[in-house]
Amino acid sequence: MRRFFRKCSLFFLSAIFTVTITNGCQKQQAIKKTQTQAAYAEKTLSYSTLTSVTSLDPQKITDLRSATIGYHIYEGLVRNEEGEIVAAGASSWTVSEDGLTYHFVLRDTTWQDGSAVTAEDYVRGIRRLVEEETGANYHFLGYYIKNGAAVGEGALDSSQLGVTAVSGTEIEIQLEHKTDSFLSILSQVQFTPIPEEALKEEEHFGTKKEYLWTNGPFLVSEWEEDRIVLTKNDYYWDADHVELQKVVITKEDSIKDAVEAYERGETNLVTTNFLSGEEEENETLYNDGQLVMVRMNMKNKKLANLNFRKALFYSVDQQALTKVVSDGIYYATDSVVFPGLFDTDSAGKEGLKTEDLFAGTSGIDVKKAQKAMEKAKKKLGGKKKWKLELVCSDQDQQQKIAAFLKESWEETLGIKVKIVTVTDDERISREASGDFDLILSRWLPDYDDPMAYLENWLSDSPYNQGGFSSKDFDKKVKKADKKTGKERIEAFLEAEEDLMKQVPSVPLYFKRKVLMTKSEVSGVKTWYVGYQYNYIHCQIGGQHD
């Protein structure tokens, strides 16, 4: 087990060095103590991200780091608190008997400058998300709203979208069909209200501190390339229950650097892939919800062959892989939807805690792999050693995965796999453009529903970069999406089972992470949808829950 924390006493190798090192340790401890005291006095939470934040335009946010900041500086009608939907910008809401109409009553809230947030601001924000000219990647989240798809595709004006301001303090949203997960979808940062003033210079909106309009518990007080500082928003309607005064977010180049910054006392929160084993640290193992998989490009003649894809799938031991990349913390998987969402007795929040759902999952079966490869060869012809390229990023974890897969496929199937290493930004770009044979891919769900995973493989999905297409699967998913309750979950399960028979990708594992905080920090929550951390009710120096 990897250890992150080293005690100075372990390095006392001789009496000669004892005095020098002890003084060094005492100085280091004094620095840490001073930093801790400063953080306590200012009620400051500090953590690192691995990439810079380039935009906080709420409708255009697509990455987790920005969404987490957005969760704290913006507020929509409702808020998702670790799977529970609670009142936020709306003080209450009602739903019609047929489940198609949601009526929200707004509470008295303001923007960061003290001006009132209006019903029209919410309507404007939701319309902006869906409008084709906005170019929002998550515009499809608004397609559950009446006329959403038609507006998003430019066939109707956004004034025809099923969201209206009934009065200055009331909003009505009409849906295309009853949708169990609608409130969870509505809690996403993309549904943030927008004041008319913000769009006067829309090209700059969300790119700098001076071009932000926020209404959440915190506001952005500093924004540099490698550092963002949030401070408590005294205008926030529930400011009396926000104890944290400041949040400092800095950029590091790797998890290793982030952990070292945490060890030095420069931050008081860090997320890692390993348990430290140190009793004095507060550690929480939580589900990240992120699926790691190998996408396969159907434009490649070999990968378009089902038996060839099956051969790749059956050659991978996901359980062994998780030991290599996470010391077994990750959940090995041979499917693409987090199994907890199929636990019909507790679908969603409680299902995510059902660890035994993953017991024994692994796609490896050497005999099936080799048999499938022989069938593929007969169909495709040719006796040459077949070659494929596997694109991955230069990050250490992706390098380990790629090396593991290359060895598995070459030894089991006798094919040649070339690893193509690029930066993570280039990997994302190549995935989006379909420039790959095989590529290591990550997927985070947008809301806690099977649809948030399965939409990856719909024929018309913008995220179906591998070009997989099945009319039968499309039909089953879209039919399931219109169902409710237990019938919905069971229909999605059937759709996923059908999908996996066609092997559109090779699922590897679902991530779990370790949240570590210093002893003075409490009240930070984690969730796998929409944000990484919830520190609205964080306490510095208080008792832990």
Side-chain angles (χ1 to χ4, degrees), residues 377-395:
K377 286 181 178 179
K378 288 180 181 179
K379 179 71 173 178
L380 295 169
K383 297 182 179 179
K384 294 189 301 182
K385 200 170 194 177
W386 289 346
K387 297 180 181 179
L388 287 172
E389 287 188 349
L390 172 62
V391 179
C392 66
S393 79
D394 53 8
Q395 295 176 352

Side-chain angles (χ1 to χ4, degrees), residues 34-46 218 222 227 229-232 243-248 268 539-541:
T34 300
Q35 291 171 331
T36 299
Q37 289 172 338
Y40 177 82
E42 294 184 356
K43 300 292 185 182
T44 299
L45 180 72
S46 53
F218 297 88
E222 297 178 38
R227 174 183 164 94
V229 178
L230 311 182
T231 51
K232 180 178 175 179
E243 295 189 18
L244 203 60
Q245 296 296 315
K246 184 186 293 186
V247 182
V248 179
N268 51 16
Q539 296 180 338
I540 306 293

Side-chain angles (χ1 to χ4, degrees), residues 47 53 56 65-73 228 230 249 535:
Y47 66 93
V53 173
L56 288 173
R65 63 189 181 278
S66 300
T68 298
I69 295 173
Y71 182 82
H72 294 86
I73 65 174
I228 291 180
L230 311 182
I249 306 161
Y535 37 79

